[in-house]
Amino acid sequence: MTGMTVLALGVPAVMAGSMVTSGMTSQPIGHYDFCQINKAECSIRTVDRGPVKMTQQLWDMLVKVSAGVNAAVTPMSDMEIYGKEEVWAYPDNGVGDCEDYVLEKRRQLNKLGVPLSDLLITVVRKPDGEGHAVLTVRTSKGDFILDNLRDDVRSWEDTGYRYLKRQASNHTGRWVSIRDDQQVLVGSVR
């Protein structure tokens, strides 16, 4: 992890920061369409008990799932896969773009016991201005990012991204703004 002290086994030794969110904002269009198909997945009212406790087991799980999904999914744009922009879907066919990686990482981590209130799809702007989606994992050591563009898990502050919005921690179909609520397309691939 760049710029962060880690314990011998890899768990961050110091607190990373936590994102400060503000009011409700619009869903990205791709998430809206995903929710029309997966209504049950987008209507879960989660109990937000605060960030999940960071442990060696959790850290290892984050690193393993992120690298595993990155290796298992071949990057392709929505236009190449579906012939249109902004299709959010699980990469069950082995291909996908950034939000598809996020959905799969979120699904796997939730199956392993990480609460949905701590697994938040997040829309960012990369340094080149392109929209991108990452998974934010809220922990007792701060917010960490799982990204299809890199295998390591980083503090959100160490990514170089501009954070725009993310899922609300108490409802899987709602979104909150982080710094502003600009609409962006999020079709990045490796």
Side-chain angles (χ1 to χ4, degrees):
M1 293 177 10
T2 305
M4 182 176 297
T5 305
V6 295
L7 299 174
L9 298 174
V11 174
V14 295
M15 293 278 292
S18 296
M19 291 178 199
V20 176
T21 60
S22 54
M24 300 297 290
T25 191
S26 60
Q27 274 180 292
I29 187 66
H31 190 252
Y32 174 83
D33 291 341
F34 173 83
C35 290
Q36 296 307 300
I37 296 166
N38 302 281
K39 290 184 187 303
E41 246 186 85
C42 296
S43 60
I44 301 169
R45 294 181 185 273
T46 56
V47 176
D48 184 355
R49 294 189 170 100
V52 67
K53 181 175 174 48
M54 177 59 82
T55 63
Q56 183 66 52
Q57 180 183 6
L58 176 62
W59 182 256
D60 292 346
M61 189 185 320
L62 297 179
V63 170
K64 182 178 180 181
V65 167
S66 189
V69 171
N70 287 355
V73 177
T74 300
M76 289 182 81
S77 72
D78 288 332
M79 192 58 76
E80 292 171 301
I81 301 166
Y82 304 105
K84 61 182 182 175
E85 296 291 335
E86 286 306 289
V87 177
W88 291 31
Y90 288 106
D92 293 334
N93 58 359
V95 297
D97 67 355
C98 59
E99 67 274 351
D100 307 334
Y101 286 81
V102 170
L103 288 166
E104 184 60 28
K105 290 175 186 184
R106 185 172 170 267
R107 175 167 66 178
Q108 288 187 22
L109 288 167
N110 184 242
K111 283 182 182 176
L112 292 169
V114 181
L116 288 174
S117 61
D118 295 317
L119 298 171
L120 307 171
I121 303 169
T122 305
V123 173
V124 302
R125 211 175 273 287
K126 298 185 330 185
D128 65 5
E130 184 180 7
H132 184 49
V134 296
L135 182 64
T136 298
V137 181
R138 294 185 326 147
T139 79
S140 60
K141 292 279 189 177
D143 294 343
F144 291 91
I145 301 302
L146 281 62
D147 191 344
N148 70 298
L149 300 179
R150 58 184 324 118
D151 286 339
D152 63 333
V153 176
R154 292 184 168 218
S155 164
W156 74 283
E157 298 161 313
D158 289 337
T159 62
Y161 296 146
R162 185 169 143 232
Y163 289 77
L164 303 175
K165 59 174 117 179
R166 74 177 190 196
Q167 283 179 298
S169 61
N170 63 354
H171 193 293
T172 57
R174 297 207 175 140
W175 287 69
V176 293
S177 60
I178 298 171
R179 293 197 176 142
D180 62 46
D181 59 348
Q182 297 178 45
Q183 285 285 5
V184 296
L185 294 177
V186 292
S188 296
V189 293
R190 222 192 293 215

mmCIF file of all heavy atoms in Angstrom, residues 43-73:
data_model
loop_
_atom_site.group_PDB
_atom_site.id
_atom_site.type_symbol
_atom_site.label_atom_id
_atom_site.label_comp_id
_atom_site.label_asym_id
_atom_site.label_seq_id
_atom_site.Cartn_x
_atom_site.Cartn_y
_atom_site.Cartn_z
ATOM 1 N N SER A 43 -33.332 -2.977 -3.218
ATOM 2 C CA SER A 43 -34.319 -2.482 -2.256
ATOM 3 C C SER A 43 -33.995 -2.958 -0.839
ATOM 4 O O SER A 43 -34.853 -2.944 0.026
ATOM 5 C CB SER A 43 -35.714 -2.937 -2.664
ATOM 6 O OG SER A 43 -35.766 -4.356 -2.695
ATOM 7 N N ILE A 44 -32.755 -3.347 -0.613
ATOM 8 C CA ILE A 44 -32.356 -3.836 0.704
ATOM 9 C C ILE A 44 -32.067 -2.641 1.610
ATOM 10 O O ILE A 44 -31.219 -1.806 1.307
ATOM 11 C CB ILE A 44 -31.115 -4.748 0.609
ATOM 12 C CG1 ILE A 44 -31.402 -5.943 -0.292
ATOM 13 C CG2 ILE A 44 -30.661 -5.196 2.007
ATOM 14 C CD1 ILE A 44 -30.171 -6.746 -0.667
ATOM 15 N N ARG A 45 -32.819 -2.580 2.691
ATOM 16 C CA ARG A 45 -32.573 -1.551 3.704
ATOM 17 C C ARG A 45 -31.625 -2.172 4.720
ATOM 18 O O ARG A 45 -32.031 -2.989 5.524
ATOM 19 C CB ARG A 45 -33.863 -1.105 4.360
ATOM 20 C CG ARG A 45 -34.782 -0.399 3.402
ATOM 21 C CD ARG A 45 -36.060 0.051 4.106
ATOM 22 N NE ARG A 45 -36.968 0.615 3.159
ATOM 23 C CZ ARG A 45 -36.965 1.891 2.778
ATOM 24 N NH1 ARG A 45 -36.085 2.710 3.275
ATOM 25 N NH2 ARG A 45 -37.847 2.332 1.907
ATOM 26 N N THR A 46 -30.369 -1.775 4.611
ATOM 27 C CA THR A 46 -29.344 -2.356 5.463
ATOM 28 C C THR A 46 -29.310 -1.656 6.812
ATOM 29 O O THR A 46 -29.624 -0.477 6.922
ATOM 30 C CB THR A 46 -27.957 -2.260 4.799
ATOM 31 O OG1 THR A 46 -27.693 -0.894 4.498
ATOM 32 C CG2 THR A 46 -27.901 -3.075 3.531
ATOM 33 N N VAL A 47 -28.932 -2.389 7.824
ATOM 34 C CA VAL A 47 -28.718 -1.802 9.139
ATOM 35 C C VAL A 47 -27.260 -1.375 9.190
ATOM 36 O O VAL A 47 -26.360 -2.214 9.074
ATOM 37 C CB VAL A 47 -29.025 -2.818 10.263
ATOM 38 C CG1 VAL A 47 -28.710 -2.221 11.623
ATOM 39 C CG2 VAL A 47 -30.479 -3.262 10.179
ATOM 40 N N ASP A 48 -27.035 -0.082 9.310
ATOM 41 C CA ASP A 48 -25.673 0.434 9.340
ATOM 42 C C ASP A 48 -25.180 0.436 10.778
ATOM 43 O O ASP A 48 -25.508 1.308 11.560
ATOM 44 C CB ASP A 48 -25.623 1.836 8.740
ATOM 45 C CG ASP A 48 -24.208 2.387 8.661
ATOM 46 O OD1 ASP A 48 -23.268 1.724 9.165
ATOM 47 O OD2 ASP A 48 -24.039 3.474 8.094
ATOM 48 N N ARG A 49 -24.393 -0.568 11.118
ATOM 49 C CA ARG A 49 -23.830 -0.680 12.471
ATOM 50 C C ARG A 49 -22.458 -0.046 12.549
ATOM 51 O O ARG A 49 -21.704 -0.309 13.481
ATOM 52 C CB ARG A 49 -23.766 -2.151 12.873
ATOM 53 C CG ARG A 49 -25.148 -2.768 13.020
ATOM 54 C CD ARG A 49 -25.090 -4.160 13.627
ATOM 55 N NE ARG A 49 -26.425 -4.605 13.969
ATOM 56 C CZ ARG A 49 -27.149 -5.429 13.224
ATOM 57 N NH1 ARG A 49 -26.667 -5.895 12.095
ATOM 58 N NH2 ARG A 49 -28.358 -5.784 13.608
ATOM 59 N N GLY A 50 -22.133 0.745 11.552
ATOM 60 C CA GLY A 50 -20.813 1.364 11.502
ATOM 61 C C GLY A 50 -19.852 0.490 10.716
ATOM 62 O O GLY A 50 -20.178 -0.633 10.340
ATOM 63 N N PRO A 51 -18.675 1.005 10.457
ATOM 64 C CA PRO A 51 -17.697 0.274 9.650
ATOM 65 C C PRO A 51 -17.332 -1.080 10.246
ATOM 66 O O PRO A 51 -17.244 -1.236 11.461
ATOM 67 C CB PRO A 51 -16.483 1.202 9.638
ATOM 68 C CG PRO A 51 -17.043 2.561 9.917
ATOM 69 C CD PRO A 51 -18.198 2.327 10.848
ATOM 70 N N VAL A 52 -17.093 -2.058 9.359
ATOM 71 C CA VAL A 52 -16.691 -3.397 9.765
ATOM 72 C C VAL A 52 -15.304 -3.334 10.411
ATOM 73 O O VAL A 52 -14.466 -2.518 10.015
ATOM 74 C CB VAL A 52 -16.726 -4.362 8.551
ATOM 75 C CG1 VAL A 52 -15.669 -4.019 7.513
ATOM 76 C CG2 VAL A 52 -16.585 -5.800 8.988
ATOM 77 N N LYS A 53 -15.072 -4.165 11.416
ATOM 78 C CA LYS A 53 -13.784 -4.180 12.116
ATOM 79 C C LYS A 53 -12.699 -4.746 11.201
ATOM 80 O O LYS A 53 -12.840 -5.838 10.660
ATOM 81 C CB LYS A 53 -13.886 -5.018 13.384
ATOM 82 C CG LYS A 53 -12.594 -5.066 14.191
ATOM 83 C CD LYS A 53 -12.800 -5.819 15.492
ATOM 84 C CE LYS A 53 -11.536 -6.039 16.271
ATOM 85 N NZ LYS A 53 -10.671 -4.931 16.462
ATOM 86 N N MET A 54 -11.632 -3.986 11.054
ATOM 87 C CA MET A 54 -10.499 -4.448 10.251
ATOM 88 C C MET A 54 -9.721 -5.477 11.052
ATOM 89 O O MET A 54 -9.307 -5.215 12.180
ATOM 90 C CB MET A 54 -9.586 -3.280 9.867
ATOM 91 C CG MET A 54 -8.343 -3.710 9.087
ATOM 92 S SD MET A 54 -8.705 -4.575 7.536
ATOM 93 C CE MET A 54 -9.003 -3.181 6.462
ATOM 94 N N THR A 55 -9.552 -6.635 10.479
ATOM 95 C CA THR A 55 -8.768 -7.719 11.062
ATOM 96 C C THR A 55 -7.833 -8.254 9.987
ATOM 97 O O THR A 55 -8.000 -7.943 8.796
ATOM 98 C CB THR A 55 -9.674 -8.877 11.536
ATOM 99 O OG1 THR A 55 -10.337 -9.422 10.385
ATOM 100 C CG2 THR A 55 -10.697 -8.403 12.564
ATOM 101 N N GLN A 56 -6.895 -9.077 10.392
ATOM 102 C CA GLN A 56 -6.024 -9.720 9.405
ATOM 103 C C GLN A 56 -6.863 -10.557 8.444
ATOM 104 O O GLN A 56 -6.624 -10.559 7.240
ATOM 105 C CB GLN A 56 -4.979 -10.596 10.095
ATOM 106 C CG GLN A 56 -4.003 -11.232 9.120
ATOM 107 C CD GLN A 56 -3.123 -10.211 8.427
ATOM 108 O OE1 GLN A 56 -2.503 -9.391 9.093
ATOM 109 N NE2 GLN A 56 -3.076 -10.236 7.097
ATOM 110 N N GLN A 57 -7.869 -11.254 8.977
ATOM 111 C CA GLN A 57 -8.726 -12.087 8.137
ATOM 112 C C GLN A 57 -9.462 -11.246 7.103
ATOM 113 O O GLN A 57 -9.541 -11.611 5.927
ATOM 114 C CB GLN A 57 -9.719 -12.859 8.998
ATOM 115 C CG GLN A 57 -10.642 -13.745 8.196
ATOM 116 C CD GLN A 57 -11.672 -14.468 9.059
ATOM 117 O OE1 GLN A 57 -11.786 -14.237 10.256
ATOM 118 N NE2 GLN A 57 -12.432 -15.347 8.434
ATOM 119 N N LEU A 58 -10.015 -10.104 7.519
ATOM 120 C CA LEU A 58 -10.711 -9.235 6.569
ATOM 121 C C LEU A 58 -9.739 -8.702 5.524
ATOM 122 O O LEU A 58 -10.042 -8.714 4.333
ATOM 123 C CB LEU A 58 -11.405 -8.073 7.289
ATOM 124 C CG LEU A 58 -12.074 -7.050 6.361
ATOM 125 C CD1 LEU A 58 -13.184 -7.692 5.524
ATOM 126 C CD2 LEU A 58 -12.614 -5.873 7.168
ATOM 127 N N TRP A 59 -8.571 -8.235 5.964
ATOM 128 C CA TRP A 59 -7.588 -7.688 5.018
ATOM 129 C C TRP A 59 -7.224 -8.731 3.963
ATOM 130 O O TRP A 59 -7.222 -8.450 2.769
ATOM 131 C CB TRP A 59 -6.350 -7.201 5.744
ATOM 132 C CG TRP A 59 -5.363 -6.594 4.800
ATOM 133 C CD1 TRP A 59 -4.203 -7.159 4.341
ATOM 134 C CD2 TRP A 59 -5.460 -5.321 4.155
ATOM 135 N NE1 TRP A 59 -3.587 -6.318 3.451
ATOM 136 C CE2 TRP A 59 -4.335 -5.176 3.331
ATOM 137 C CE3 TRP A 59 -6.404 -4.296 4.207
ATOM 138 C CZ2 TRP A 59 -4.117 -4.038 2.549
ATOM 139 C CZ3 TRP A 59 -6.183 -3.157 3.435
ATOM 140 C CH2 TRP A 59 -5.051 -3.041 2.620
ATOM 141 N N ASP A 60 -6.921 -9.946 4.420
ATOM 142 C CA ASP A 60 -6.565 -11.030 3.495
ATOM 143 C C ASP A 60 -7.708 -11.320 2.521
ATOM 144 O O ASP A 60 -7.477 -11.563 1.340
ATOM 145 C CB ASP A 60 -6.203 -12.301 4.263
ATOM 146 C CG ASP A 60 -4.904 -12.172 5.057
ATOM 147 O OD1 ASP A 60 -4.133 -11.211 4.824
ATOM 148 O OD2 ASP A 60 -4.672 -13.031 5.938
ATOM 149 N N MET A 61 -8.934 -11.272 3.026
ATOM 150 C CA MET A 61 -10.110 -11.517 2.201
ATOM 151 C C MET A 61 -10.240 -10.430 1.130
ATOM 152 O O MET A 61 -10.500 -10.736 -0.044
ATOM 153 C CB MET A 61 -11.354 -11.532 3.102
ATOM 154 C CG MET A 61 -12.628 -11.971 2.447
ATOM 155 S SD MET A 61 -14.096 -11.813 3.530
ATOM 156 C CE MET A 61 -13.525 -12.336 5.123
ATOM 157 N N LEU A 62 -10.049 -9.166 1.503
ATOM 158 C CA LEU A 62 -10.148 -8.064 0.544
ATOM 159 C C LEU A 62 -9.119 -8.214 -0.569
ATOM 160 O O LEU A 62 -9.441 -8.091 -1.760
ATOM 161 C CB LEU A 62 -9.965 -6.712 1.239
ATOM 162 C CG LEU A 62 -10.983 -6.311 2.294
ATOM 163 C CD1 LEU A 62 -10.630 -4.949 2.881
ATOM 164 C CD2 LEU A 62 -12.394 -6.329 1.749
ATOM 165 N N VAL A 63 -7.883 -8.500 -0.173
ATOM 166 C CA VAL A 63 -6.804 -8.647 -1.155
ATOM 167 C C VAL A 63 -7.073 -9.836 -2.079
ATOM 168 O O VAL A 63 -6.947 -9.726 -3.303
ATOM 169 C CB VAL A 63 -5.444 -8.792 -0.429
ATOM 170 C CG1 VAL A 63 -4.341 -9.179 -1.403
ATOM 171 C CG2 VAL A 63 -5.097 -7.496 0.308
ATOM 172 N N LYS A 64 -7.478 -10.967 -1.500
ATOM 173 C CA LYS A 64 -7.714 -12.181 -2.288
ATOM 174 C C LYS A 64 -8.881 -12.006 -3.260
ATOM 175 O O LYS A 64 -8.785 -12.360 -4.436
ATOM 176 C CB LYS A 64 -7.978 -13.359 -1.358
ATOM 177 C CG LYS A 64 -8.177 -14.667 -2.083
ATOM 178 C CD LYS A 64 -8.390 -15.815 -1.121
ATOM 179 C CE LYS A 64 -8.594 -17.109 -1.876
ATOM 180 N NZ LYS A 64 -8.834 -18.240 -0.990
ATOM 181 N N VAL A 65 -9.997 -11.462 -2.774
ATOM 182 C CA VAL A 65 -11.167 -11.289 -3.639
ATOM 183 C C VAL A 65 -10.871 -10.281 -4.743
ATOM 184 O O VAL A 65 -11.190 -10.523 -5.912
ATOM 185 C CB VAL A 65 -12.413 -10.884 -2.817
ATOM 186 C CG1 VAL A 65 -13.535 -10.391 -3.724
ATOM 187 C CG2 VAL A 65 -12.886 -12.054 -1.965
ATOM 188 N N SER A 66 -10.238 -9.167 -4.412
ATOM 189 C CA SER A 66 -9.962 -8.154 -5.429
ATOM 190 C C SER A 66 -9.068 -8.709 -6.527
ATOM 191 O O SER A 66 -9.390 -8.612 -7.720
ATOM 192 C CB SER A 66 -9.324 -6.920 -4.788
ATOM 193 O OG SER A 66 -9.254 -5.877 -5.729
ATOM 194 N N ALA A 67 -7.949 -9.322 -6.151
ATOM 195 C CA ALA A 67 -7.026 -9.869 -7.144
ATOM 196 C C ALA A 67 -7.670 -11.032 -7.904
ATOM 197 O O ALA A 67 -7.480 -11.169 -9.117
ATOM 198 C CB ALA A 67 -5.731 -10.315 -6.475
ATOM 199 N N GLY A 68 -8.454 -11.839 -7.207
ATOM 200 C CA GLY A 68 -9.104 -12.987 -7.848
ATOM 201 C C GLY A 68 -10.106 -12.579 -8.906
ATOM 202 O O GLY A 68 -10.134 -13.151 -10.007
ATOM 203 N N VAL A 69 -10.941 -11.607 -8.593
ATOM 204 C CA VAL A 69 -11.922 -11.129 -9.573
ATOM 205 C C VAL A 69 -11.198 -10.445 -10.730
ATOM 206 O O VAL A 69 -11.543 -10.653 -11.898
ATOM 207 C CB VAL A 69 -12.972 -10.205 -8.919
ATOM 208 C CG1 VAL A 69 -13.855 -9.536 -9.976
ATOM 209 C CG2 VAL A 69 -13.821 -10.989 -7.921
ATOM 210 N N ASN A 70 -10.174 -9.657 -10.409
ATOM 211 C CA ASN A 70 -9.426 -8.994 -11.478
ATOM 212 C C ASN A 70 -8.834 -10.012 -12.451
ATOM 213 O O ASN A 70 -8.818 -9.782 -13.660
ATOM 214 C CB ASN A 70 -8.312 -8.120 -10.908
ATOM 215 C CG ASN A 70 -8.841 -6.855 -10.257
ATOM 216 O OD1 ASN A 70 -10.030 -6.561 -10.301
ATOM 217 N ND2 ASN A 70 -7.959 -6.109 -9.626
ATOM 218 N N ALA A 71 -8.354 -11.139 -11.922
ATOM 219 C CA ALA A 71 -7.754 -12.169 -12.779
ATOM 220 C C ALA A 71 -8.809 -12.969 -13.540
ATOM 221 O O ALA A 71 -8.552 -13.421 -14.661
ATOM 222 C CB ALA A 71 -6.896 -13.110 -11.928
ATOM 223 N N ALA A 72 -9.987 -13.142 -12.950
ATOM 224 C CA ALA A 72 -11.014 -14.006 -13.542
ATOM 225 C C ALA A 72 -11.829 -13.327 -14.635
ATOM 226 O O ALA A 72 -12.419 -14.008 -15.477
ATOM 227 C CB ALA A 72 -11.960 -14.512 -12.446
ATOM 228 N N VAL A 73 -11.875 -12.004 -14.627
ATOM 229 C CA VAL A 73 -12.718 -11.269 -15.575
ATOM 230 C C VAL A 73 -11.829 -10.602 -16.620
ATOM 231 O O VAL A 73 -10.856 -9.928 -16.281
ATOM 232 C CB VAL A 73 -13.581 -10.219 -14.844
ATOM 233 C CG1 VAL A 73 -14.411 -9.409 -15.830
ATOM 234 C CG2 VAL A 73 -14.474 -10.888 -13.805
#
